[in-house]
Amino acid sequence: MQRAIQKAKDFNELVMFEHSIFSLPFIFIAMVVAADGWFGFWLLFMGVLAALSARNFAMGVNRYADRDIDAQNPRTSGRPNVDGRLNASSILLFIFVNAIIFIAVAYMINPLALKLSVPILIVLGSYSYFKRFSSLAHIILGISLGLAPIAGVIAVSATIPLWSVFLSLGVVFWVAGFDLLYSLQDMEFDKENSLHSIPSKYGSENTLKISAYFHSLTVLFWVLFVYYSGLGAVAYVAAIGSALVLAYEQKLVRKDFTQIDRAFFTVNGYLGIAFFTLIVIDRIVA
């Protein structure tokens, strides 16, 4: 039993389960808007299971593909995928099991979800390899999480309305923007190991500018989401208020690179939760 508990802890550390907070709020935002309120316990369970299995799959592929890179990077050399706690076979099994769970959940939701399940997994798995040949890896990561709202609305309505595309695009540039800030930590390592990233290619100052531009696009797309979904004043507060949160995040990192973890995990975590809460309040008020 103790060994099983320790293994579970190792896998939790491998995929950083707590980071699911970035995508879950936006899945449920899409579901709340698509259903015009409460969407039911069944879809709540299916939504959580789909989100967790998809993220576990993506992180598993990432950690498997990056075993050689993580072993050389002092920041990541203590991860379970490189320090002997989890071998390659166990990680591959973890990836396979989560892929099957995701496809099975999609099957139980509706035919469109099933048709898109494998293409979504392909996108999720591709991020890990992009940095080996393209600095667009940050965008690919954004797209991976940006698929969450699309998945949410498909689960409820089996359609992809325009407002969900704007919500998704906002998530794409939100994630890409904060991933740029996070990747500043590995700028020198990426240069030395011929890994492609915007910081290693364009430097820290240009990276900060690009990140700020991406976050400006985030706010724009979220305002368009509110407009085209027909939401009310509280939803506009959520969209416009995100500009203040993202501006604070940018300021935090520009002032001190040691604050990158705080900006990445804490600030973005609160943003997602606050955005979801305000959308729910808007639906209740409406």
Side-chain angles (χ1 to χ4, degrees), residues 16-32:
M16 294 184 288
F17 181 80
E18 63 273 16
H19 295 180
S20 300
I21 195 170
F22 295 139
S23 59
L24 277 173
F26 288 92
I27 291 176
F28 294 130
I29 287 169
M31 294 174 79
V32 165

Side-chain angles (χ1 to χ4, degrees), residues 28 31 38-51 105 108:
F28 294 130
M31 294 174 79
W38 175 234
F39 43 82
F41 287 106
W42 171 249
L43 283 181
L44 174 64
F45 176 70
M46 289 289 102
V48 170
L49 194 56
V105 169
M108 289 186 283

